[in-house]
């Protein structure tokens, strides 16, 4: 019977922390260059804020401004996917890589995709926020660790001296 590879979901964004988590995953979890593992790179594109009232200048966002904001968000998502797939090829050009861009709050998107795909492992980076920042801003990695049913690996970037 052929051995089945693992489906590993890696949450990526434009930050250095997620790039470090991805490179750590490739260097430490994917050891066999003929691996049957599948690496799924997930970028959660935060929805544009909806303004139902006038902004502080008294104007509503025009459709052209909203279109420009959406185009910029799409460009960011594409740049993140390009950067992370290039990193995968540089560190292990034999692994199968799939990419996904989903819309929504990153905490919810990552949790929902992990459940929907029934991945074997979720890898997320950590910003290393202290207790106060984590309480105010929320922690994607903490949310995933508490809510995702598969194993979650939180990779912290080493602090520079």
């Amino acid at each position: 019977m052929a051995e089945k590879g693992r489906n590993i979901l890696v949450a990526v964004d434009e930050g250095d922390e997620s790039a470090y988590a991805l490179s750590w995953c490739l260097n430490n979890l994917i050891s066999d260059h003929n691996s049957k593992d599948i690496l799924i790179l997930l970028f959660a594109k935060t929805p544009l804020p909806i303004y139902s009232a006038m902004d502080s200048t008294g104007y509503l966002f025009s459709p052209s401004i909203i279109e420009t904001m959406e185009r910029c968000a799409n460009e960011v998502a594409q740049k993140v996917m390009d950067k992370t797939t290039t990193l995968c090829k540089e560190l292990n050009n034999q692994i199968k890589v799939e990419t996904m861009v989903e819309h929504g709050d990153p905490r919810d998107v990552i949790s929902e995709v992990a459940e929907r795909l029934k991945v074997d492992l979720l890898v997320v980076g950590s910003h290393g926020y202290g207790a106060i920042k984590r309480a105010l801003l929320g922690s994607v990695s903490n949310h995933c660790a508490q809510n995702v049913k598969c194993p979650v690996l939180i990779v912290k970037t080493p602090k520079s001296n």
Side-chain angles (χ1 to χ4, degrees), residues 6 20 22 30 41 53 69 92 94 96 126 138 160:
R6 299 170 295 179
Y20 180 80
L22 174 59
I30 314 294
L41 306 177
M69 292 167 62
N92 184 336
Q94 299 297 313
K96 182 175 180 191
S126 173
S160 57

Side-chain angles (χ1 to χ4, degrees), residues 100-114:
M100 296 179 71
V101 176
E102 299 280 330
H103 298 271
D105 182 293
R107 291 174 289 211
D108 298 329
V109 167
I110 295 166
S111 299
E112 289 166 8
V113 169

Side-chain angles (χ1 to χ4, degrees), residues 20-89:
Y20 180 80
L22 174 59
S23 64
W24 192 94
C25 175
L26 288 162
N27 288 324
N28 294 285
L29 295 178
I30 314 294
S31 60
D32 182 9
H33 286 287
N34 296 318
S35 175
K36 294 181 176 151
D37 292 342
I38 298 173
L39 207 55
I40 305 160
L41 306 177
L42 172 64
F43 180 82
K45 190 166 79 166
T46 306
L48 296 174
I50 304 297
Y51 294 97
S52 58
M54 290 186 208
D55 65 11
S56 62
T57 60
Y59 296 97
L60 291 172
F61 285 125
S62 70
S64 64
I65 290 175
I66 292 172
E67 183 180 313
T68 301
M69 292 167 62
E70 183 65 33
R71 189 172 351 105
C72 180
N74 289 336
E75 288 172 7
V76 168
Q78 186 60 52
K79 285 180 182 178
V80 169
M81 288 294 126
D82 291 345
K83 175 183 166 185
T84 55
T85 54
T86 299
L87 180 61
C88 290
K89 288 177 187 172

